[in-house]
Amino acid sequence: QVLLVESGGGLVQAGGSLKLSCAASGATANIYGMGWFRQAPGKEREFVARITWSSRMTYYTDSVKGRFTISRDNTKTTVYLQMNSLKPEDTAVYYCAAGNFLQFSQGNYNYWGQGTQVTVSS
């Protein structure tokens, strides 16, 4: 079992920055990749960014390219999402997720965090 705990959310003005963290614990040996998703009020959960754990290959949804950066901690099983130039449309609950090779290679995830609220005011 893997436990994911997000932190770093909050209220920020448009144009500001936030850095989210997601710490994984438990049976983390089989984690192949991790990702960030978000869900805005009245909308479905959407993919934001992902990273493979060993090779650090990254991929972003078009709406955050150039503004968000996903990275991993080399010492601990922790993934970050640096969010710059935030826009009101970035307002959502952000979720961290992790997947083993089979799931991640298919765009799926085995484990999910509880979510952290990000609110961007205009």
Side-chain angles (χ1 to χ4, degrees):
Q1 187 63 268
V2 173
L3 175 65
L4 304 176
V5 180
E6 303 101 327
S7 62
L11 175 64
V12 65
Q13 291 185 328
S17 299
L18 284 174
K19 187 175 183 178
L20 306 182
S21 299
C22 175
S25 61
T28 61
N30 291 326
I31 292 178
Y32 184 77
M34 299 181 70
W36 288 95
F37 291 74
R38 65 187 182 186
Q39 186 169 18
K43 297 183 178 180
E44 295 184 351
R45 184 176 299 182
E46 66 172 342
F47 166 80
V48 176
R50 67 172 183 254
I51 184 170
T52 55
W53 203 247
S54 60
S55 65
R56 301 187 183 188
M57 295 173 55
T58 60
Y59 183 79
Y60 302 87
T61 190
D62 287 343
S63 63
V64 307
K65 289 181 179 178
R67 300 190 298 120
F68 291 10
T69 302
I70 188 170
S71 62
R72 52 152 282 193
D73 192 300
N74 192 50
T75 302
K76 299 181 178 180
T77 311
T78 303
V79 66
Y80 305 94
L81 185 67
Q82 177 66 52
M83 305 185 294
N84 299 324
S85 301
L86 284 163
K87 305 174 181 179
E89 50 263 46
D90 294 319
T91 295
V93 176
Y94 283 71
Y95 297 90
C96 176
N100 59 24
F101 175 77
L102 178 61
Q103 297 299 320
F104 192 82
S105 64
Q106 296 178 316
N108 300 131
Y109 299 84
N110 304 90
Y111 310 100
W112 294 84
Q114 81 290 344
T116 184
Q117 177 70 48
V118 172
T119 302
V120 184
S121 62
S122 60

